[in-house]
Amino acid sequence: MKPLAKPHPSAFIIAFPTKQSDTYPRFFRRHAAPIDFHMTSIYADDSHPIYYDGPTHIQHYTRPSRLWEQWYCTTLPGKELVPCTTYIPSLKSRFQLNAKVGVRADSIKTRTLYAVEDIKMGQFIASDDVTLQLKIDEMEWNQLDDFIKMYPDAQMYQQIRDLFEAYGFENEKLGSSGESVSLASNATFINHGCEKQTVNIAIIKALHDGEDDTDTPYHEGAVRFSPAITRRAEMSSTMAVATRDIKKGEEILEDYRFMVERPKDGSDFDNWMEDMCQTGVGDIVA
């Protein structure tokens, strides 16, 4: 029988009490250097671990190996859940990744995204957004925010934050933290659908909260541990699919509430969306 856990003779599962704890964003950093520097601050000069450092952490601990993914997708509960049954197979389908969209001018919204040809339900929308995005993890975001407060006249840093706040989305999914923003991607021009019936794309909810897996007995806990999701954290937190067939020429619309992990009624974000829907003026001005 082929071993499922090689090349590592042992495995460690790290559990976080909540993604809102400080531990989670410290663990899922983008770069090795902050981890090295943090270790230097807590270890004596002669007591650093021999086999563990920042690069080791980034390469082996924040991204599960493909063998871990194979094990997860061939055993319960993973093999019954959407990441393994639908999501990963879809990534290998040229048809699923090949939805054609374009940008056109709009007198009110400035720019809109539309279907260049008919799009079938389930096809990924603007899949190149995964490869064309700027990302800042939560620790970096907090440091940027503190820097702006200390130096409010540093306008270019304020503009960086404004870019993420105006066009970005939260990246608080399994294996990632912080904010992302589209870079040279048509996804920048996807507008908010004010009426539920106008929304025709959405993120794959089963990659985030397990709600689409309620027909299995494992959905609630299993999505909290998923090598299939964590291994492709940038994809699972970004890619959207058509929720119904979309006709050629139809505008692509999403619910912006899915861009925020926990939107609250009455929040600045919620008020901004309400105002946008009442005035008809979108925020797509790039």
Side-chain angles (χ1 to χ4, degrees):
M1 180 177 180
K2 184 173 68 173
L4 294 174
K6 282 190 174 184
H8 304 293
S10 60
F12 301 89
I13 296 177
I14 301 174
F16 303 100
T18 171
K19 285 196 292 184
Q20 284 69 61
S21 68
D22 291 339
T23 309
Y24 181 86
R26 283 204 304 268
F27 187 87
F28 286 108
R29 295 192 179 193
R30 295 189 308 127
H31 302 298
I35 297 170
D36 277 333
F37 294 158
H38 179 70
M39 292 176 65
T40 298
S41 71
I42 61 176
Y43 287 106
D45 292 346
D46 59 351
S47 63
H48 273 249
I50 297 175
Y51 300 111
Y52 181 84
D53 60 7
T56 302
H57 179 87
I58 297 297
Q59 295 171 16
H60 298 292
Y61 287 83
T62 62
R63 288 292 181 269
S65 68
R66 188 168 185 180
L67 287 172
W68 259 107
E69 180 183 87
Q70 289 175 330
W71 166 81
Y72 179 78
C73 288
T74 54
T75 59
L76 290 173
K79 68 179 184 179
E80 291 186 353
L81 301 179
V82 168
C84 297
T85 61
T86 306
Y87 176 59
I88 292 177
S90 294
L91 293 176
K92 300 175 182 178
S93 166
R94 186 177 300 176
F95 170 77
Q96 291 293 109
L97 296 174
N98 202 34
K100 296 290 193 305
V101 295
V103 179
R104 62 188 173 197
D106 185 275
S107 59
I108 296 177
K109 300 178 182 179
T110 307
R111 292 184 178 91
T112 64
L113 194 71
Y114 71 99
V116 173
E117 60 186 23
D118 289 350
I119 297 173
K120 292 294 185 181
M121 178 178 176
Q123 281 190 273
F124 290 107
I125 305 298
S127 55
D128 61 347
D129 198 29
V130 176
T131 61
L132 294 169
Q133 63 177 254
L134 296 174
K135 178 170 171 52
I136 183 170
D137 66 41
E138 185 172 331
M139 303 299 289
E140 294 169 330
W141 179 263
N142 292 338
Q143 290 173 322
L144 174 63
D145 200 48
D146 290 342
F147 185 85
I148 292 172
K149 291 176 182 177
M150 290 175 59
Y151 306 102
D153 58 337
Q155 295 183 5
M156 293 189 70
Y157 290 91
Q158 178 71 57
Q159 291 169 2
I160 292 173
R161 189 180 68 178
D162 290 347
L163 173 66
F164 277 88
E165 289 186 337
Y167 294 102
F169 50 90
E170 289 185 359
N171 216 336
E172 301 288 340
K173 306 302 184 268
L174 289 176
S176 65
S177 73
E179 305 275 336
S180 292
V181 65
S182 299
L183 173 67
S185 167
N186 286 341
T188 299
F189 306 112
I190 298 175
N191 286 297
H192 173 62
C194 295
E195 302 295 333
K196 186 175 180 179
Q197 63 269 23
T198 66
V199 173
N200 49 26
I201 71 169
I203 60 170
I204 306 172
K205 292 183 67 177
L207 300 183
H208 308 294
D209 53 29
E211 290 183 5
D212 288 354
D213 290 321
T214 51
D215 57 339
T216 75
Y218 312 102
H219 71 282
E220 183 61 32
V223 79
R224 304 296 187 262
F225 169 70
S226 176
I229 296 176
T230 308
R231 181 170 164 78
R232 297 174 173 81
E234 290 80 9
M235 287 187 180
S236 60
S237 63
T238 302
M239 295 181 74
V241 298
T243 56
R244 58 172 174 79
D245 289 347
I246 302 173
K247 295 294 185 182
K248 178 181 177 180
E250 188 177 348
E251 183 179 1
I252 306 297
L253 294 169
E254 66 180 331
D255 186 345
Y256 277 6
R257 288 179 175 84
F258 287 121
M259 297 167 63
V260 178
E261 182 81 353
R262 292 167 301 279
K264 298 179 180 178
D265 292 339
S267 65
D268 290 342
F269 181 81
D270 190 66
N271 291 335
W272 167 71
M273 286 199 302
E274 288 297 324
D275 182 66
M276 179 175 61
C277 289
Q278 290 176 9
T279 63
V281 179
D283 200 41
I284 307 303
V285 296

